[in-house]
Amino acid sequence: MQDSLAGLRVLDLTQGFAGPFGVKQLADQGADVVKIEKPGGDPMRRAGPFPGDLPDPDEGGLFLHLNTNRRGIVLDLKRAADFETFRRLVERADLVVESYRPGTLERLGLGFDRLRSWNPGVSLLSLSNFGETGPYRDWELTELVSFALAGPMYPNGLPGREPLASTENSTLGYAGLALAAGALAAVLASRRDGRGHHVSLSIAEAFLAGGERQPLPYFYNGEIPRRIGDPLRAQFLMGGYACKDGYVAVQGIGRGDSWWPRVFRMMGMPELSQDPRFENATVIARNKAEFDVFWQKWLMGHTRREIFDAAAQARFPMAPVYSAQDIDCDPHFESRSLFEEIEHPVAGRIRHPAKPFRLHGAGERASRPAPRLAEHQVEVLAELETSGRVPARRVVAQRPGESRLPLAGVRVLELAEG
């Protein structure tokens, strides 16, 4: 059984987080991805965690996770010989993905028109902070900047105080998934009409497109969301609570009367529904302190697992607050093979999250580790000497009843930013 993207050839010129994470979605599904790094390699190679005591460019944990299932080479595209090598790679590629500053490819003589002159069927996906046009095209973008300019920062925080941002690389994760979708769209369009397409993707705009609190309320009814401060003021039973062996989290009830009988059943105290102090959400909100006596006593008498199981039985949205170790040991994640182990020649045996989705019937195979710097240089260059020029790709109609993978035959090259 073939991988779902077997035959898709990609050149990957991205680096950092968003680009490699997006190309990873293609590589993990079987696309033949060649990661092209500049001399010295992707800067993410020097980001931790590291399994050893000292940083090693072949052991950076985030790089190893983001760059699975690729072959890696090093090219200096300012050198004539490497420029020619890249040209020959483009002739055999279905897709080139890059994350240079806008205008960099053109200055290198590698704009989309040049790529198409070498291979009319090749598509180009350009990932940048704010897109290739507009007043902000050359601005830097950090997670904080993206939350402020394109995200939900404005309504977060205490009324009358400074706005607050969230954590983690959610901006870059949004952009990576958008990159994978854009790449597949370009490839499908190319297979339909026989010519390459140029896709421009902005990290800030990808994040903005997934927003909930901004800007949709403004577009729909002119509302500018306000900072409401501590959500416990607006919704009772929301946030994190201590229990016997850690913490549990509640999404929030607010004034929803239908939830409270479930809470009482979860606590093993259905009789509280008949207590005048707790007969509906409005009354309970006035008697928070009295309800807290029952609530805190019940929490501290039970473990996270016991509370989680009781919540599931009562169909109430409540869950344990997990550490990384808890996530690794969770029986549900284990049953779905959420994590996989890969043997890396330098870093040793490493464990990391596996593919976020599985295409049923497409087959599964063990992932290959991220490449060491220039690990596949000889192998990839040897293929150029033996395979000859690849003819222009033709659009082939599918016969009625014929079952074919949607992207079979697509070639991708992944390029790292210089």
Side-chain angles (χ1 to χ4, degrees):
M1 190 77 71
Q2 271 192 324
D3 291 305
S4 57
L5 299 185
L8 177 65
R9 286 176 283 186
V10 182
L11 298 179
D12 177 13
L13 292 171
T14 68
Q15 64 179 13
F17 188 103
F21 180 63
V23 176
K24 174 183 173 67
Q25 311 311 311
L26 309 178
D28 286 357
Q29 294 297 329
D32 179 12
V33 177
V34 176
K35 184 177 179 72
I36 302 173
E37 299 180 73
K38 63 183 180 180
D42 186 337
M44 194 61 73
R45 288 182 176 275
R46 291 175 283 282
F50 296 96
D53 295 331
L54 297 175
D56 185 306
D58 286 326
E59 292 187 299
L62 195 51
F63 178 88
L64 296 180
H65 170 58
L66 294 173
N67 292 277
T68 53
N69 293 313
R70 293 163 169 85
R71 297 188 291 168
I73 65 174
V74 171
L75 294 179
D76 181 351
L77 297 177
K78 296 178 182 179
R79 294 181 63 248
D82 287 357
F83 185 96
E84 173 62 15
T85 296
F86 180 66
R87 180 190 68 78
R88 297 173 67 189
L89 287 169
V90 170
E91 289 181 343
R92 295 155 174 78
D94 296 294
L95 177 67
V96 177
V97 185
E98 59 97 4
S99 60
Y100 292 114
R101 289 177 182 272
T104 300
L105 273 191
E106 285 75 13
R107 288 194 295 273
L108 291 171
L110 295 171
F112 183 49
D113 289 340
R114 175 64 66 86
L115 300 183
R116 284 201 303 177
S117 73
W118 297 336
N119 178 356
V122 72
S123 291
L124 172 67
L125 191 148
S126 299
L127 174 70
S128 59
N129 292 331
F130 290 98
E132 297 178 85
T133 60
Y136 303 158
R137 62 164 252 167
D138 296 319
W139 283 20
E140 292 290 344
L141 181 72
T142 65
E143 194 73 8
L144 182 61
V145 171
S146 64
F147 269 96
L149 200 58
M153 187 169 173
Y154 183 86
N156 286 345
L158 295 172
R161 294 295 302 274
E162 300 82 1
L164 298 177
S166 300
T167 59
E168 291 294 332
N169 292 315
S170 53
T171 301
L172 305 181
Y174 266 105
L177 295 176
L179 184 155
L184 295 179
V187 169
L188 286 171
S190 177
R191 292 177 69 83
R192 182 188 63 243
D193 57 29
R195 61 185 179 87
H197 295 265
H198 187 188
V199 178
S200 177
L201 175 63
S202 158
I203 294 176
E205 290 168 14
F207 189 45
L208 181 60
E212 176 186 359
R213 298 186 65 191
Q214 296 209 110
L216 290 182
Y218 178 74
F219 290 160
Y220 274 72
N221 56 28
E223 174 191 350
I224 298 177
R226 297 177 296 106
R227 285 185 286 283
I228 62 174
D230 187 349
L232 291 176
R233 296 181 183 178
Q235 297 195 53
F236 188 38
L237 281 192
M238 180 174 181
Y241 294 90
C243 64
K244 190 174 183 179
D245 64 344
Y247 295 89
V248 290
V250 182
Q251 171 60 35
I253 297 178
R255 298 190 178 277
D257 285 339
S258 64
W259 287 110
W260 283 102
R262 302 187 191 191
V263 174
F264 301 147
R265 289 200 305 273
M266 175 182 69
M267 297 168 62
M269 304 176 190
E271 67 277 5
L272 291 181
S273 295
Q274 309 304 316
D275 191 315
R277 296 171 298 174
F278 313 127
E279 61 183 359
N280 59 53
T282 302
V283 175
I284 295 172
R286 291 201 298 262
N287 296 303
K288 285 183 180 180
E290 294 177 74
F291 177 77
D292 266 339
V293 174
F294 295 96
W295 177 242
Q296 298 294 342
K297 182 178 180 180
W298 179 72
L299 290 174
M300 297 310 297
H302 294 81
T303 66
R304 292 179 302 170
R305 188 76 232 180
E306 291 168 344
I307 294 170
F308 191 29
D309 290 341
Q313 288 293 322
R315 299 186 63 80
F316 181 70
M318 192 167 182
V321 178
Y322 272 173
S323 68
Q325 184 180 29
D326 295 325
I327 294 172
D328 188 31
C329 298
D330 183 86
H332 175 80
F333 296 150
E334 185 66 30
S335 72
R336 291 182 53 79
S337 302
L338 179 63
F339 303 103
E340 64 179 354
E341 292 188 349
I342 300 178
E343 190 68 41
H344 190 274
V346 178
R349 195 161 190 80
I350 53 177
R351 185 170 171 84
H352 70 114
K355 294 180 289 190
F357 67 90
R358 293 150 180 84
L359 186 60
H360 293 291
E364 292 290 335
R365 57 163 170 75
S367 293
R368 302 193 313 272
R372 289 169 288 160
L373 189 61
E375 178 179 353
H376 302 97
Q377 196 89 6
V378 173
E379 175 185 315
V380 171
L381 297 187
E383 291 176 359
L384 295 180
E385 301 302 324
T386 59
S387 60
R389 183 178 178 88
V390 176
R393 183 172 299 280
R394 293 180 300 166
V395 180
V396 180
Q398 184 172 324
R399 299 186 185 92
E402 181 183 12
S403 177
R404 299 179 63 215
L405 295 171
L407 298 183
V410 180
R411 294 165 286 178
V412 183
L413 297 178
E414 176 184 6
L415 304 178
E417 179 179 351

